[in-house]
Amino acid sequence: MKEEIIIGFDYGSKKIGVAVGNIFTKITTPLFNLNKKKHKDPFEQIDNIVEEWKPFMFIIGFPELKNGGNHPLKDLIDQFKNNLEIRYRKPVVLINEKLSSHEAYKIRSLYDKNTPLDAIAASLIIKTWILEST
């Protein structure tokens, strides 16, 4: 199995932005949002993503507060990370997603108008990790 495909998540209280990236081409693509109210178990859709893309790892954006305190989503993101690791037996990396949503908003016009902002943010989270890690 080649280690090139990464699935990234921008975890929010209502939605999870999903994107895919390739570490060799350094191309990242926003996919869609998982609506947590609509999809009670987001792992049903994540199973389909994993089957289609066959990633070797996952990346989750982890928001950090300026004052160093814990972000309100910390426990939910930690639980999501653990569930990904257990379910798929693949590495999961948390990276600081500082300003990813702000940056996504700035570049939104580069994408189709129906591309969700959270999925664009997930794409930027992957891009950040690729650029910092290669």
Side-chain angles (χ1 to χ4, degrees):
M1 176 169 108
K2 291 182 184 176
E3 293 187 346
E4 60 186 76
I5 302 298
I6 301 167
I7 300 294
F9 301 98
D10 179 36
Y11 193 95
S13 59
K14 297 178 183 165
K15 301 175 280 206
I16 303 171
V18 183
V20 64
N22 184 304
I23 63 171
F24 295 120
T25 64
K26 297 182 175 35
I27 294 173
T28 62
T29 305
L31 296 176
F32 50 79
N33 283 350
L34 296 171
N35 183 321
K36 290 165 64 176
K37 287 185 179 179
K38 189 176 179 182
H39 303 99
K40 298 283 186 223
D41 180 10
F43 286 96
E44 290 176 12
Q45 265 197 290
I46 295 171
D47 286 344
N48 294 333
I49 299 163
V50 169
E51 179 63 31
E52 179 179 353
W53 292 96
K54 299 184 181 11
F56 80 97
M57 70 178 290
F58 303 100
I59 296 175
I60 305 170
F62 191 80
E64 294 180 2
L65 299 179
K66 290 180 183 179
N67 66 8
N70 286 335
H71 191 278
L73 292 175
K74 179 194 181 312
D75 291 339
L76 289 173
I77 292 172
D78 284 339
Q79 181 181 359
F80 183 64
K81 176 186 183 289
N82 291 338
N83 288 341
L84 283 171
E85 289 172 333
I86 291 166
R87 189 174 188 110
Y88 303 110
R89 301 181 191 271
K90 298 180 185 301
V92 181
V93 176
L94 296 175
I95 70 159
N96 183 356
E97 66 157 295
K98 183 172 68 178
L99 301 177
S100 65
S101 294
H102 179 72
E103 289 298 316
Y105 185 77
K106 285 174 38 179
I107 65 167
R108 186 178 212 170
S109 64
L110 300 175
Y111 294 91
D112 178 273
K113 66 178 181 170
N114 296 321
T115 304
L117 191 63
D118 300 292
I120 296 170
S123 176
L124 291 173
I125 289 166
I126 298 170
K127 178 80 80 182
T128 299
W129 183 85
I130 289 172
L131 295 175
E132 290 177 356
S133 301
T134 55

